[in-house]
Each structure stands twice: as C-alpha cells, then as structure tokens.
Amino acid sequence: LEEIVPGTAGQWRYRVWLPENLAKEVQEECFFPDGLLCDLRRYQEWGVKYILHQKKALLGDEMGLGKTIQAIATMVSLRNTGATHFIVICPASVIVNWCREIQKFSKLRVIAVHGLSRESALKDWQRTGGVAVTTYETTAYFKFPDNFTYSLLVVDEAHYIKIRARTVRKIRGDCGARGRLLFMTGTALENKVDEMINLIKLLQPSIVMQISGMKELSSAPQFKETVAPVYYRRRKEDVLTELPE
C-alpha cells in the first residue's frame, strides 16, 4: 500500500506514537514551506507540524533523521506567518554547520553571534531579524529591551542543558515566556528519566507533575502517552521506508 499510495501506511505509523486526539490535531496543523529550499520526508513534515502545534517541545529523533532540517522548516513556516526573530543555541563546534545548513536549505537570514563581534552581531540581529546562532556561553552577554521577544528558541544538544539550565532560564526571563521553545537531542531519554524531567520542566512543567511518580515505568504505554505532548522521538527503523539506501 505504501508503494502504491505513498503516505497510506506512513500517516498511521506516525499517529501510533501520539494519543488519538493529539495526532488528529497535529495532522491538521498548517505548515507553510515557502522559502524552504528542500523537500521534507513525510516523517519530517509531521515532526514540523508537531513542533508548530505544541509550541514547546522536545524533539528526540535518532541521529541522522534530520532534526536540524525540521528546526529550520519550523522557522521558515513561522516566518511565513509573521515571525521575525529566532535563536539557536548550540555547542561552539557546530555553529558553522548550523549557519551553513540554514543558508543552504532556506531563505532565512542567519548571523553568528559569537566571538569578538558578538555585541555588534547581536545588535544587528535585533534590528533586522533572522536567525541568531550562538553558544550557551555567549548568551551570558545577551541583553534585550523590555519589550523584546523572540519567535522561537532552539536548543541543540539539549541533554547538556542540565549544567546550563540557568542560561535558558535567563533568556526566557529576558524575553518573557511567550516565545516558542524547541529542545533537540539525539540521546534516548527513556532510560534517563531524571534528564527527561529536567528538560520537560523547562518546557511544560505541568507534565512533570504527572510523571514524577512514574519513573520506574518509562517503557510503559501510559508513561509514553503522558509525555507525548512534549517529547517526540522516532528511530531509524520506525521510518526505514522513507530513508535513502
């Protein structure tokens, strides 16, 4: 069926990871790709819709499934609906890669806020908008006007946030809690429930209250359904039919 009518089995496969009502809402979420310079695989578009719908989410796709392109596509869609300012926080070793990927796969303006030119770059970004790519350490120098807010804050390698959580809280405090948040990690968190809780606490604190007594049941369907509104993960074998040889 999948070969004859692409998407027939795929849509069902994505839905099984989410409660029925949430899956239906995600499926109906609007995605505006104008300005995205590549075609998304179906599971990637579904991931973008999930991020857009949930507003504050933790994307845990296995390494190699395209978390970066899903983040870029999310920013593109938001830009098409009026959003202007995006922040990507990542390790210094991948700043160049993030900037290159954003330029290659979208028409978004990107500026690296890092190094000796960080202050001028930050002012330029605040004035003209686009994607500011920076590091955890550099955000210590971020200062915003009282009325400033970002459209989306992306935190790459979010499993490292446990030692830098204050940084993210600072940016959220400076810009208000209205901005969207996307945490990304390729590390499976099902067996690291404490790490998962720390991340979810920054995203959707109400869910933490629901799972705090379920730590020993992280593999149970009830636990997965409870965290589904904030944590979404696909493995390679889950989307194998969509991957190149």
Side-chain angles (χ1 to χ4, degrees):
L1 282 174
E2 184 68 19
E3 291 179 358
I4 298 170
V5 185
T8 301
Q11 293 289 0
W12 175 84
R13 189 166 60 244
Y14 307 145
R15 292 169 68 101
V16 299
W17 296 311
L18 301 175
E20 185 176 352
N21 290 342
L22 177 56
K24 184 176 180 180
E25 292 173 5
V26 169
Q27 186 172 358
E28 295 174 351
E29 180 71 28
C30 293
F31 166 52
F32 303 98
D34 186 36
L36 185 66
L37 305 180
C38 65
D39 294 324
L40 298 180
R41 298 184 178 113
R42 290 190 300 277
Y43 75 85
Q44 292 173 334
E45 182 175 334
W46 184 276
V48 172
K49 288 185 174 185
Y50 174 88
I51 297 164
L52 290 169
H53 185 270
Q54 295 306 99
K55 297 181 174 61
K56 293 179 172 62
L58 170 57
L59 182 63
D61 284 352
E62 198 171 58
M63 187 177 298
L65 295 186
K67 291 186 292 297
T68 299
I69 195 62
Q70 290 176 76
I72 294 171
T74 300
M75 290 186 277
V76 166
S77 186
L78 291 171
R79 178 68 181 84
N80 288 329
T81 56
T84 56
H85 290 75
F86 309 96
I87 304 173
V88 173
I89 301 178
C90 62
S93 59
V94 294
I95 279 186
V96 172
N97 182 67
W98 263 101
C99 292
R100 183 173 58 243
E101 297 284 281
I102 292 169
Q103 290 174 329
K104 178 180 179 181
F105 295 118
S106 78
K107 295 182 179 180
L108 294 169
R109 180 177 182 269
V110 60
I111 182 168
V113 181
H114 183 56
L116 297 177
S117 62
R118 60 181 179 248
E119 291 186 10
S120 60
L122 182 63
K123 291 178 181 177
D124 182 21
W125 171 74
Q126 289 182 40
R127 184 174 62 254
T128 59
V131 186
V133 182
T134 189
T135 66
Y136 286 96
E137 292 75 18
T138 305
T139 56
Y141 300 93
F142 277 33
K143 294 180 181 179
F144 300 113
D146 292 338
N147 61 346
F148 178 81
T149 185
Y150 56 83
S151 304
L152 172 67
L153 171 61
V154 178
V155 181
D156 195 9
E157 302 291 348
H159 50 280
Y160 292 131
I161 210 171
K162 57 187 175 183
I163 58 174
R164 299 182 175 108
R166 187 178 301 176
T167 295
V168 176
R169 289 194 186 97
K170 175 184 182 298
I171 292 184
R172 289 193 67 191
D174 288 347
C175 301
R178 293 169 295 175
R180 294 169 177 263
L181 287 173
L182 171 60
F183 290 175
M184 304 197 311
T185 176
T187 300
L189 297 177
E190 288 83 348
N191 297 323
K192 301 179 180 180
V193 181
D194 287 333
E195 284 189 23
M196 181 188 288
I197 288 175
N198 288 336
L199 293 172
I200 292 176
K201 190 179 297 183
L202 291 167
L203 293 165
Q204 297 191 34
S206 61
I207 292 181
V208 172
M209 301 296 293
Q210 300 176 50
I211 63 174
S212 58
M214 303 169 61
K215 289 185 180 182
E216 306 304 322
L217 303 173
S218 60
S219 60
Q222 183 182 357
F223 181 92
K224 294 181 178 180
E225 184 168 321
T226 302
V227 300
V230 66
Y231 178 59
Y232 195 45
R233 174 176 172 82
R234 279 80 57 90
R235 300 167 300 169
K236 287 189 178 73
E237 52 263 39
D238 296 326
V239 295
L240 203 58
T241 58
E242 296 190 40
L243 300 179
E245 291 297 329

